[in-house]
Amino acid sequence: MAQRTRLWTEKFIFIILINFLVFMNHIMILSTFPFYIEKIGGSTALAGTAAFLFSLVAVIFRPFIGWMLDNGKRKAILAVGLFGMALMPAGYFSVSLIAFVLLFRMLHGASLACSNTSTATIASDIIPRSRFAEGMGYFGLATALATACAPAFGLLLMNKFGFSVLFFCSTGAIAVAVLLFLLLKTPHLEIKKTRLNFKALFDENAMPASAITVIFMLTFGALENFLAKFASEKDLPSGGIYFAVMSIMLFVTRISAGKIADRKGEGVFVYSCNASMLTALLLLAIVSNTITFIISAILAGYAFGGLEPALQSMAVHSAPPEKRGSANSTFLCAYDIGIGLGGGLAGWLISGTGYYSMWAVLSVANILSVILYVVWGRNHPSSFTYAKRR
């Protein structure tokens, strides 16, 4: 029995590390891209458009990637994604025309879709069902830590060495991921192949968690894309400090979040994490000073650290092997849509009304996220909380 419930295997550790390096590449560039757009002559609104296009392409590709994963092509899709993510930073640096930069940004979005949909699906194959939320929490810890510390690292490289070193290091992260990929042994699964049709592209049971995620991630899309510029323009501590503080809180939260979700369900995180993010954004909008800036980072770290793995576990835990790819792609489509729309909306709101109004407007998303969970998510069979009540 103990052997069947073992979580920390070599396969699990490798896929966590690969996922971490994928997101280091992604977020180092995401958080500094508005500065790069500005450097080559673009506007804040154009930076928001770049964020939207990146996510749009990822969303378009993910359902088909999920279908291919469900037909057994786990490692092949991951290899394609890693190859694309290694090449894109060189593409940004080799051209200065905005149209070509946006094209490379879209190709980077497609590469990310291949990479992190496949890592999430491989992790879903590896994690024991009895410890699923816990395992996905640890897997998501890699994403969360990269999401939190990569902006600080990216901003440091950009400010001290310039974009050439930044892009070189982001490619280096993927080079290490490729070495781990070559050592990774995935589980052998008996998978029933499915025909390509609309039903095969999405997983119905993942829809409630995914819809809630779209709304919540609007706020995180704004933070990821524009917090650093907001801090630099408003004479606040650097965006790197904000994300560093956030990463500490993310780490603390992720250690226990999965175990709590396995025992009590995802509801506790939906309520508390949305309340935390709402407060974090309102602090930036209404009372922006050094103390509230740090408090906001702590609250945002808890919010993302707790909610994302709880909802991903809700979306994926009941899927059989032949549906795990589509379940993960459905959830990650929602993740991309939320971040892309959040970044796009934030860019246009900043251009029209300024930073303070933007934070206040997007904080409404946290209220809507809770309402959607109460109306739909908590009474759906995919809910851990619903299963506990039964």
Side-chain angles (χ1 to χ4, degrees):
M1 179 64 71
Q3 184 65 26
R4 288 200 301 270
T5 58
R6 184 184 173 203
L7 179 60
W8 290 102
T9 62
E10 180 183 274
K11 298 172 187 175
F12 187 49
I13 293 169
F14 280 4
I15 201 65
I16 286 175
L17 291 174
I18 292 170
N19 192 53
F20 173 76
L21 293 164
V22 162
F23 273 88
M24 283 297 293
N25 170 286
H26 165 44
I27 304 295
M28 281 168 61
I29 294 176
L30 176 67
S31 58
T32 55
F33 213 70
F35 295 96
Y36 186 65
I37 290 289
E38 183 179 56
K39 179 179 181 292
I40 61 175
S43 64
T44 301
L46 187 63
T49 301
F52 173 74
L53 290 174
F54 178 93
S55 296
L56 176 65
V57 171
V59 167
I60 291 171
F61 272 77
R62 277 200 201 281
F64 299 97
I65 292 166
W67 173 76
M68 287 186 283
L69 290 168
D70 284 340
N71 280 274
K73 296 176 171 40
R74 291 346 192 205
K75 288 195 74 174
I77 297 299
L78 179 53
V80 170
L82 293 177
F83 180 75
M85 294 195 78
L87 289 182
M88 284 312 104
Y92 299 135
F93 195 68
S94 65
V95 297
S96 57
L97 291 175
I98 289 175
F100 282 105
V101 169
L102 293 179
L103 174 62
F104 282 121
R105 196 74 185 123
M106 290 188 284
L107 291 173
H108 204 161
S111 300
L112 176 69
C114 290
S115 298
N116 75 324
T117 309
S118 53
T119 55
T121 303
I122 292 169
S124 303
D125 295 335
I126 293 168
I127 297 168
R129 298 299 100 180
S130 62
R131 301 178 68 180
F132 194 78
E134 179 187 359
M136 290 305 292
Y138 288 127
F139 173 78
L141 179 59
T143 306
L145 284 176
T147 301
C149 68
F153 187 49
L155 289 165
L156 175 67
L157 292 173
M158 180 191 76
N159 291 326
K160 287 199 172 286
F161 304 106
F163 286 101
S164 58
V165 173
L166 168 66
F167 294 150
F168 177 80
C169 289
S170 64
T171 296
I174 299 301
V176 177
V178 169
L179 293 176
L180 294 171
F181 168 81
L182 295 174
L183 298 173
L184 176 67
K185 296 179 181 178
T186 55
H188 176 73
L189 301 169
E190 295 294 333
I191 293 177
K192 181 182 178 182
K193 295 187 177 182
T194 58
R195 291 180 178 274
L196 179 61
N197 55 54
F198 182 80
K199 187 175 181 181
L201 296 179
F202 300 95
D203 183 53
E204 183 179 348
N205 282 328
M207 288 297 183
S210 300
I212 297 161
T213 299
V214 168
I215 306 301
F216 175 79
M217 292 307 294
L218 294 175
T219 62
F220 209 75
L223 280 174
E224 282 294 317
N225 282 280
F226 294 106
L227 188 280
K229 280 188 69 68
F230 169 72
S232 67
E233 292 181 18
K234 304 300 179 183
D235 295 322
L236 291 165
S238 74
I241 291 175
Y242 188 97
F243 289 114
V245 171
M246 195 172 78
S247 70
I248 296 170
M249 193 63 193
L250 276 163
F251 183 80
V252 172
T253 303
R254 285 290 170 100
I255 289 172
S256 57
K259 293 179 182 179
I260 294 171
D262 276 329
R263 292 198 312 268
K264 298 183 178 296
E266 73 290 329
V268 62
F269 292 107
V270 174
Y271 300 130
S272 63
C273 293
N274 273 292
S276 292
M277 186 63 87
L278 173 69
T279 306
L281 294 183
L282 292 179
L283 286 174
L284 295 176
I286 300 170
V287 198
S288 291
N289 57 52
T290 299
I291 294 174
T292 56
F293 187 77
I294 299 301
I295 294 172
S296 173
I298 294 170
L299 292 171
Y302 169 72
F304 187 65
L307 189 58
E308 191 263 345
L311 289 178
Q312 187 168 15
S313 297
M314 175 181 169
V316 178
H317 77 99
S318 61
E322 65 273 11
K323 293 293 290 180
R324 287 175 194 156
S326 60
N328 275 298
S329 71
T330 301
F331 177 82
L332 292 170
C333 275
Y335 186 99
D336 289 333
I337 291 169
I339 284 188
L341 285 178
L345 285 171
W348 288 104
L349 284 169
I350 292 164
S351 297
T353 63
Y355 282 102
Y356 298 119
S357 296
M358 181 272 290
W359 298 127
V361 169
L362 287 181
S363 71
V364 176
N366 294 116
I367 299 171
L368 298 177
S369 178
V370 170
I371 292 172
L372 185 60
Y373 177 73
V374 170
V375 172
W376 187 18
R378 69 173 181 173
N379 295 316
H380 193 271
S382 64
S383 167
F384 283 97
T385 304
Y386 176 83
K388 301 297 178 186
R389 291 201 308 268
R390 302 265 301 185

